[in-house]
Amino acid sequence: MPPKHQKAKGKPKPHEDHREESLQAVVLADSFETRFVPFTLEKPRCLLPLANTPLIEYTLEFLASSGVEDILIYCGSHTEQVEDYVNSSRWKLPSSPFKNLVILKSDATSVGDAMRDIDNRDLITGDFLLVAGDVVSNISIEPALIRHRQRRAKDKNAIMTMVLCERNINHRSRPRSRKPVFVINPTTDRCLHYEEVHASGSTGRYVNLDPDLLSEQAEVEIREDLTDCYIDICTPDVLGLWSDNFDYQSVRTSFLYGVLKDYELNGKTIHTHIVADQYAARVRSLRAYDAVSEDIMGRLTYPLCPDSNRVPGQHYRYSKKGTYEENDIGKAKSCIISSRCILGQDTDVGDGAIIRDSTLGRRCRIGKNTLIEGSYLWDDVTIGEGSIIIKAIIAQGAVIGKKCTVDSGALISYDVRIADLTTISGSKRITQASREGRIAPGLTNKSVVGEGGEGYEYSRDSDSDTDSSVSSNLIYNNAQASESVSSVSTLDSEGSDFEPVEDRTRRASFISETSDDSAPNKDFHLEATASILDGLQKDDLPENIFLELNAFRMTVDASQHEIRRAVVAAFVKRITNLEHSGIAMVEAVTRVLRKYKAVVERTIFDQESNDKPDQVDFLLCLQKELTLRDKGDTLMLHMTKEMYDLELVEEDGVMQWWTRKQSNEGSMGKIRGPTQQLITFLEQAEEESESDDDEEDEDEA
């Protein structure tokens, strides 16, 4: 019996002559992974909210803009929820761009099983798009389709085109643990080899290539700067290959790798279409969830932004502050909401609350004096007063009590209740659901959620998805930190890559003799610097900048020395940015220090004493920050002089700093060279003052 894909060739299907006009799409609504457990115990991944919009909305919007008319949504777990959502959505209305939208139910346990099941159902009539239900993309698919059809017209063995995005290898949305490497013929765009290499270790530096492959090609490119967004243009032969090879289970590591490896046997070719100036990414991990959320808030995905209000009932507006807000939001006068935040309808934020770089769903209740940073709160979440939420995801209906701490990386699932004064560490996934997705009140563990709490810590010991059943810690990866606000820190929880990475940035090497640069200190410095710099760039009031900084300091018990380091780093960066924009150095120094004098004043407390340890420490921090800066010595002079003129540092403070041994050692000594002229001026002024005093004494005598 011939393979199924050969049989299809011999007996054309009714619509085969009209493939060009009718484009189908297969949406894999189930990822067959456990990376979003415990949330996916109760809801499918494609319905989880991303920037307060269900994930599948982004995928369907992309397909609609691509001219797809027939959609097959292939479900695994929670099929009824997907079916209910889609049937009540705009995509089923008479005005929908889709002529047919079908939900396929299945008990498949892998992508391979799903593809073989789709082939057996005989629903595909021509070329089709294969996408995951968690794709966010604004790319135009038409150029890729044209090239795919041109190739197919010349060669029926050209069975698939992968759409890849050219992106910086350090971009936050790229995987950290395993890097996809594509070997491509740049002339034909044919993919010759695919491999996933480990990002760390010596083995991650090599790709295993067949020498014959290289000898057969006039030119090849080895690309590791391509983001695989899992958007594939396929012919029906692709399904036939899945059916003929039951060992194929995943799209890339088995199907793609296998087809390329067996080229000599089957003659099938797979090509690439690379885009450089558009956006596409999969939300395939917790780290990707955070990265794509940031991209949406930063409008890199435009027009797929909250203020597009593409879901009926949404009413988001984009403010000048860089926030997205719906109607009827209650904000106390003393609360602080930074840019890059999303606030859903009917959410209330209490007095003294600070919200930074976070998404809040609808009807959230945020108590007084809370701190929410880098976190995602879905609908109907309640946060008690005085609680601290750092880089966590809290699902719909969850309640966090008063004065609780939810550490970086914690996942709080649906309707969980955390009792007052409870700390949830970043390694914990808290849920009320059993593995079968049913609420199980008897599983509540009071040692985890506190007395009166509801929920237990989910364990993944028996999960079979070894690739994704790993620590969920949304830890910060500072290895890629740069001097821009957006890259000071990034969530890192991709696949099995959840380990902290050693910080080798320039700032990580800033260790003064009075500081203890343990990991918490490094994290505080990076985060505090980012917070201050963000305020400087947005022209926030000095008191608001310091209020937010002080609240953050109290959460980690940072020292005043660490506060000064952060202020220095942010001010230097702001001045440098202004200088790069064409403003003269002296003017940039004057503009920043005079406008934000109050921020510096609140870090120095020795004006009334003879010893000036705070002023000396501030100048040493400034000196150290400038050691590796271009023209750092000149900037040291101008900033010191301006601070002296503004009475931020006094003559005694400057002189005590100058005579401090540390200020004259190595590179520190070089940086202070031009400041000698200020010291000379102060010394001469002191001599003249003493001479005048002597003359007055003689006159009196």
Side-chain angles (χ1 to χ4, degrees):
M1 182 176 179
K4 295 186 66 173
H5 60 285
Q6 292 182 2
K7 181 177 68 176
K9 289 183 180 179
K11 185 179 179 181
K13 297 180 180 180
H15 302 286
E16 192 168 1
D17 294 336
H18 302 285
R19 288 182 183 178
E20 304 280 342
E21 289 74 27
S22 179
L23 181 63
Q24 295 176 287
V26 173
V27 178
L28 297 177
D30 196 325
S31 65
F32 306 103
E33 297 170 343
T34 61
R35 286 174 177 158
F36 282 81
V37 168
F39 306 129
T40 49
L41 293 176
E42 302 177 65
K43 273 197 174 185
R45 182 195 294 189
C46 67
L47 293 186
L48 300 182
L50 179 75
N52 288 348
T53 296
L55 265 169
I56 199 170
E57 286 287 341
Y58 296 96
T59 303
L60 294 177
E61 186 67 43
F62 162 66
L63 295 175
S65 66
S66 299
V68 176
E69 296 180 342
D70 297 323
I71 305 286
L72 302 175
I73 300 180
Y74 193 91
C75 300
S77 61
H78 308 297
T79 300
E80 294 77 12
Q81 292 187 41
V82 178
E83 192 170 23
D84 290 344
Y85 179 84
V86 171
N87 286 338
S88 62
S89 72
R90 60 188 173 123
W91 305 111
K92 295 291 281 188
L93 297 174
S95 58
S96 170
F98 305 136
K99 292 181 179 179
N100 297 294
L101 198 160
V102 179
I103 306 293
L104 301 179
K105 302 180 181 180
S106 167
D107 57 0
T109 59
S110 71
V111 174
D113 292 343
M115 298 300 286
R116 285 181 281 273
D117 184 36
I118 294 170
D119 189 36
N120 289 332
R121 294 178 188 238
D122 206 24
L123 297 171
I124 300 299
T125 60
D127 287 354
F128 66 98
L129 288 180
L130 177 64
V131 299
D134 52 17
V135 166
V136 178
S137 174
N138 61 10
I139 70 171
S140 171
I141 201 69
E142 187 61 26
L145 276 171
I146 292 173
R147 290 289 297 123
H148 171 80
R149 287 166 174 164
Q150 289 173 343
R151 278 192 295 264
R152 191 198 63 195
K154 297 178 181 179
D155 181 6
K156 294 297 183 182
N157 285 322
I159 62 170
M160 190 170 90
T161 299
M162 300 179 292
V163 179
L164 307 173
C165 284
E166 190 176 77
R167 195 164 290 167
N168 186 290
I169 61 173
N170 293 327
H171 190 272
R172 56 178 171 251
S173 67
R174 288 178 55 81
R176 289 286 187 265
S177 60
R178 294 181 303 278
K179 299 184 296 183
V181 177
F182 296 86
V183 180
I184 300 169
N185 182 320
T187 303
T188 64
D189 295 328
R190 179 184 155 202
C191 184
L192 305 171
H193 178 80
Y194 174 81
E195 191 171 334
E196 292 184 3
V197 299
H198 291 283
S200 60
S202 58
T203 58
R205 303 174 185 175
Y206 303 100
V207 175
N208 299 308
L209 292 177
D210 184 349
D212 292 338
L213 182 68
L214 297 177
S215 64
E216 294 168 357
Q217 308 297 323
E219 181 182 3
V220 297
E221 290 182 347
I222 300 177
R223 304 288 298 268
E224 64 170 342
D225 62 333
L226 301 176
T227 296
D228 191 350
C229 39
Y230 289 81
I231 300 173
D232 297 335
I233 307 171
C234 307
T235 67
D237 285 344
V238 167
L239 294 175
L241 287 173
W242 280 98
S243 293
D244 292 344
N245 296 271
F246 280 87
D247 57 332
Y248 288 170
Q249 296 298 326
S250 63
V251 177
R252 293 293 183 256
T253 55
S254 59
F255 176 79
L256 173 61
Y257 181 82
V259 172
L260 298 180
K261 180 173 66 69
D262 294 339
Y263 169 71
E264 295 296 333
L265 296 176
N266 58 38
K268 305 300 182 183
T269 60
I270 296 177
H271 294 75
T272 62
H273 180 81
I274 300 172
V275 296
D277 55 353
Q278 296 168 305
Y279 188 91
R282 268 196 71 194
V283 184
R284 63 192 308 264
S285 67
L286 293 167
R287 179 180 170 278
Y289 181 92
D290 176 71
V292 177
S293 294
E294 289 193 28
D295 290 342
I296 290 173
M297 287 188 279
R299 305 183 75 78
L300 298 179
T301 61
Y302 186 84
L304 302 180
C305 298
D307 56 324
S308 297
N309 296 313
R310 296 179 179 272
V311 176
Q314 287 185 338
H315 305 284
Y316 284 100
R317 301 178 305 278
Y318 183 59
S319 71
K320 293 181 180 180
K321 288 180 57 180
T323 62
Y324 299 89
E325 299 180 9
E326 275 197 292
N327 301 329
D328 303 320
I329 295 174
K331 293 185 290 186
K333 290 184 178 180
S334 60
C335 74
I336 297 176
I337 300 175
S338 74
S339 62
R340 304 176 76 87
C341 284
I342 304 176
L343 278 72
Q345 185 172 314
D346 294 322
T347 285
D348 286 328
V349 182
D351 288 315
I354 298 175
I355 301 174
R356 298 188 301 202
D357 304 322
S358 297
T359 296
L360 277 61
R362 290 181 167 182
R363 301 174 298 279
C364 290
R365 298 292 178 263
I366 310 303
K368 297 179 180 178
N369 302 315
T370 56
L371 173 63
I372 301 174
E373 178 180 338
S375 297
Y376 303 92
L377 280 58
W378 299 349
D379 293 347
D380 302 301
V381 169
T382 299
I383 307 295
E385 63 181 52
S387 290
I388 299 171
I389 316 295
I390 305 293
K391 306 173 192 71
I393 301 178
I394 303 179
Q396 183 173 357
V399 176
I400 309 298
K402 298 178 181 178
K403 297 183 178 180
C404 292
T405 299
V406 180
D407 288 336
S408 174
L411 306 181
I412 310 296
S413 196
Y414 299 95
D415 300 313
V416 166
R417 299 182 68 89
I418 305 298
D420 296 348
L421 304 173
T422 301
T423 296
I424 304 297
S425 68
S427 63
K428 288 183 169 59
R429 299 185 179 199
I430 313 299
T431 184
Q432 286 205 71
S434 65
R435 292 183 182 276
E436 293 73 31
R438 295 187 295 270
I439 299 299
L443 294 176
T444 290
N445 187 340
K446 294 181 180 179
S447 66
V448 174
V449 298
E451 191 70 35
E454 297 176 5
Y456 73 100
E457 182 179 2
Y458 179 82
S459 172
R460 298 169 302 281
D461 293 340
S462 63
D463 285 341
S464 60
D465 181 14
T466 56
D467 178 57
S468 54
S469 298
V470 290
S471 170
S472 67
N473 246 355
L474 302 178
I475 58 176
Y476 269 68
N477 172 15
N478 295 326
Q480 306 301 335
S482 70
E483 293 171 343
S484 67
V485 176
S486 62
S487 61
V488 166
S489 53
T490 56
L491 286 171
D492 188 7
S493 61
E494 164 62 35
S496 60
D497 181 28
F498 291 83
E499 298 301 320
V501 180
E502 181 183 358
D503 192 338
R504 295 186 177 91
T505 60
R506 180 184 58 78
R507 283 190 184 151
S509 64
F510 178 8
I511 305 175
S512 74
E513 63 183 14
T514 58
S515 71
D516 173 20
D517 269 23
S518 60
N521 299 76
K522 293 180 182 179
D523 288 343
F524 173 79
H525 181 65
L526 291 165
E527 289 303 298
T529 301
S531 173
I532 300 167
L533 182 55
D534 187 47
L536 298 177
Q537 292 173 328
K538 295 186 302 182
D539 290 329
D540 286 349
L541 294 174
E543 52 267 31
N544 288 345
I545 293 176
F546 197 83
L547 177 63
E548 188 170 350
L549 176 64
N550 198 46
F552 186 35
R553 178 189 69 82
M554 290 188 291
T555 65
V556 297
D557 194 27
S559 67
Q560 290 297 332
H561 167 73
E562 291 170 310
I563 289 285
R564 295 184 196 106
R565 287 183 63 202
V567 169
V568 163
F571 274 52
V572 168
K573 179 60 181 175
R574 180 57 177 158
I575 290 169
T576 303
N577 286 344
L578 290 174
E579 188 181 3
H580 289 165
S581 69
I583 298 175
M585 180 185 291
V586 174
E587 182 182 349
V589 169
T590 302
R591 181 184 300 187
V592 173
L593 285 175
R594 290 187 180 180
K595 184 170 184 177
Y596 294 100
K597 172 184 176 181
V599 176
V600 178
E601 283 179 328
R602 297 189 185 191
T603 69
I604 296 174
F605 310 96
D606 56 12
Q607 287 86 351
E608 302 300 324
S609 63
N610 292 327
D611 291 332
K612 307 295 180 182
D614 296 346
Q615 297 178 39
V616 170
D617 184 54
F618 194 96
L619 290 171
L620 286 173
C621 289
L622 177 61
Q623 194 178 2
K624 186 73 176 181
E625 180 69 23
L626 294 173
T627 53
L628 297 180
R629 295 260 179 191
D630 185 36
K631 300 180 181 178
D633 53 353
T634 305
L635 186 54
M636 184 74 203
L637 167 63
H638 292 312
M639 290 188 69
T640 305
K641 181 180 182 301
E642 185 64 27
M643 287 191 293
Y644 174 76
D645 291 343
L646 294 173
E647 299 182 348
L648 292 171
V649 293
E650 304 166 277
E651 180 179 343
D652 287 345
V654 175
M655 298 306 296
Q656 289 176 27
W657 159 72
W658 186 260
T659 56
R660 178 71 67 89
K661 180 180 178 181
Q662 182 186 356
S663 73
N664 196 31
E665 293 179 340
S667 58
M668 296 276 279
K670 295 179 181 178
I671 282 295
R672 76 175 199 168
T675 311
Q676 174 67 60
Q677 55 188 289
L678 174 62
I679 300 300
T680 301
F681 167 78
L682 294 177
E683 289 174 339
Q684 291 175 348
E686 178 66 22
E687 291 174 359
E688 292 175 1
S689 176
E690 291 177 353
S691 176
D692 291 342
D693 290 342
D694 291 341
E695 291 178 1
E696 290 178 4
D697 291 341
E698 291 174 359
D699 291 341
E700 291 177 1

